[in-house]
Amino acid sequence: MTARIIDGKTIAANLRADVGRDVAGLPFQPGLAVVLVGEDPASAVYVRNKHKATLEAGMASFEHRLAATTSEADLLALVAKLNADDKVDGILVQLPLPKHIDATKVLDAIDPAKDVDGFHAVNAGLLASGRPGLVPCTPAGCMRLIASLGQDIAGKHAVLVGRSNIVGKPMAHLLLAADCTVTVAHSKTANLSALCRKADILVAAVGRPEMVKGDWIKPGAIVIDVGINRVATADGKGRLVGDVDYEAALPIAGAITSVPGGVGPMTIACLLANTLMAAKARRGA
């Protein structure tokens, strides 16, 4: 048996097209503001891709690139300005921030109605209590990838490897809402490999290259690999791998995402969907 490859590129492209069609029918133009502090290369590429995708969806894109020496007070002042700007429906402050800036303070300063990353405590609380709100983009994308398989996942055992506020915890709430039985594993979990072997749905989000081995996977399981790690190659160029040993997992899993091309494209697509949702909610559309 060879696992079905979950095509994140195609699913994300379809979602972006749906968002674009919806935007084209609105009497206003949704706007997304992205703030980048510093020159982190990976963040800069990500912000550039967001800008391009936002314009392609027919939305207004407002980029704010700040020096790494920008003070916390100046960043908070910019967030306050964007909160008050009626042309801006979504605000995203790219993480990580320089160490002298308290990321929690900055994220909590964003208007929850414009928090298209879904990281504000208000939106996190709404998700935890099963109420509608803006959901973090990567977990939302993972759920769309799982849904694309057309399987009934109610009652299935889902194991999350990773407990971050960005992926692990919100993913747990989304899977609980889908009636899964959810286990959240982390660095202090005992017998992690044995626990993973019990998973009907395995979500790896720890940022450790190919940590999840092929023999950790239950035959026929759905495997969602959130990790994106660059590892060295003999030619010195490096290559991207996930948190799952893809080649070893391929003949065991029932369905699996690849890296790249799996979860990654979904994050930006879900950001656009969140921006559209925020714009319609703010404007009563």
Side-chain angles (χ1 to χ4, degrees):
M1 179 184 74
T2 300
R4 173 179 171 182
I5 311 303
I6 306 173
D7 186 356
K9 286 184 178 179
T10 298
I11 296 167
N14 290 339
L15 177 56
R16 292 198 309 271
D18 289 343
V19 170
R21 281 190 292 270
D22 204 343
V23 168
L26 294 174
F28 56 85
Q29 184 182 37
L32 172 64
V34 177
V35 180
L36 175 64
V37 184
E39 300 295 334
D40 179 78
S43 292
V45 170
Y46 197 39
V47 166
R48 187 163 61 246
N49 290 339
K50 288 173 182 175
H51 174 69
K52 180 182 177 185
T54 302
L55 295 179
E56 288 176 348
M59 299 182 184
S61 177
F62 307 101
E63 276 195 39
H64 297 269
R65 294 176 177 261
L66 308 178
T69 54
T70 298
S71 69
E72 183 179 282
D74 285 347
L75 179 55
L76 289 170
L78 174 59
V79 169
K81 181 180 177 181
L82 295 173
N83 283 341
D85 189 341
D86 196 50
K87 297 189 298 295
V88 174
D89 297 291
I91 301 170
L92 185 150
V93 177
Q94 183 67 39
L95 302 178
L97 290 170
K99 292 182 179 179
H100 67 278
I101 296 176
D102 184 340
T104 299
K105 186 183 293 186
V106 173
L107 295 177
D108 281 350
I110 297 172
D111 180 349
K114 296 186 177 187
D115 170 40
V116 287
D117 248 344
F119 294 159
H120 193 285
V122 167
N123 285 317
L126 290 171
L127 176 59
S129 59
R131 295 165 61 186
L134 291 165
V135 175
C137 303
T138 299
C142 291
M143 291 302 294
R144 286 179 180 269
L145 294 176
I146 294 170
S148 74
L149 298 171
Q151 298 181 19
D152 181 5
I153 63 172
K156 299 295 185 182
H157 184 197
V159 174
L160 312 180
V161 185
R163 56 177 169 177
S164 72
N165 292 333
I166 295 173
V167 180
K169 290 176 184 176
M171 189 76 198
H173 292 306
L174 290 170
L175 286 164
L176 283 170
D179 296 321
C180 291
T181 299
V182 178
T183 301
V184 180
H186 47 78
S187 60
K188 299 187 184 302
T189 298
N191 300 318
L192 179 59
S193 60
L195 180 61
C196 290
R197 290 187 195 102
K198 298 178 180 178
D200 302 304
I201 301 169
L202 180 62
V203 181
V206 288
R208 292 179 59 185
E210 299 179 332
M211 185 191 83
V212 177
K213 308 304 180 186
D215 62 2
W216 291 25
I217 294 167
K218 179 179 179 179
I222 298 170
V223 179
I224 305 295
D225 191 349
V226 181
I228 301 179
N229 313 282
R230 183 168 291 278
V231 297
T233 55
D235 61 8
K237 294 181 179 179
R239 65 187 180 94
L240 293 178
V241 300
D243 291 348
V244 176
D245 185 340
Y246 180 78
E247 294 300 329
L250 201 56
I252 301 170
I256 190 170
T257 59
S258 61
V259 177
V263 174
M266 294 301 299
T267 300
I268 290 180
C270 288
L271 172 65
L272 298 177
N274 273 359
T275 303
L276 174 62
M277 183 189 305
K280 293 169 83 171
R282 287 185 63 245
R283 300 163 190 266

